[in-house]
Amino acid sequence: MKSWMKFGIGWGIFMFFLMNIGFPLYDGVEIDIKKCLFMFPLWIIFGLLFGYFSRKKGPKKQIDE
C-alpha cells in the first residue's frame, strides 16, 4: 500500500471519529448508528482524496543555475 493511501485512510478514520463520535459526545448529542454507517465510507473516500492531493503535491525541485 502506498504511503499516501495509508495517510489518507488514517486521516479519514481520524476525522470520522472526531466528527461523528467525538463532537456528539462532547455536545451531549446522541450518536446515530445509521448516520455513522453512512458517513464512515464517505470519510474514507474523502481521506483518500486528501491523502492523494496532499502527498502528490510535494515540494518542487529547484534547478540550480
Side-chain angles (χ1 to χ4, degrees), residues 18-64:
L18 183 68
M19 301 299 281
N20 293 85
I21 296 175
F23 284 150
L25 284 175
Y26 180 75
D27 292 337
V29 178
E30 186 176 337
I31 297 172
D32 185 13
I33 299 299
K34 289 182 183 180
K35 182 180 177 185
C36 286
L37 291 175
F38 176 74
M39 293 303 291
F40 186 74
L42 288 178
W43 277 115
I44 296 298
I45 292 168
F46 293 144
L48 285 171
L49 289 171
F50 177 75
Y52 178 78
F53 287 115
S54 66
R55 296 295 179 174
K56 292 294 181 179
K57 187 184 171 186
K60 295 181 181 180
K61 294 181 180 179
Q62 296 225 351
I63 301 173
D64 294 329

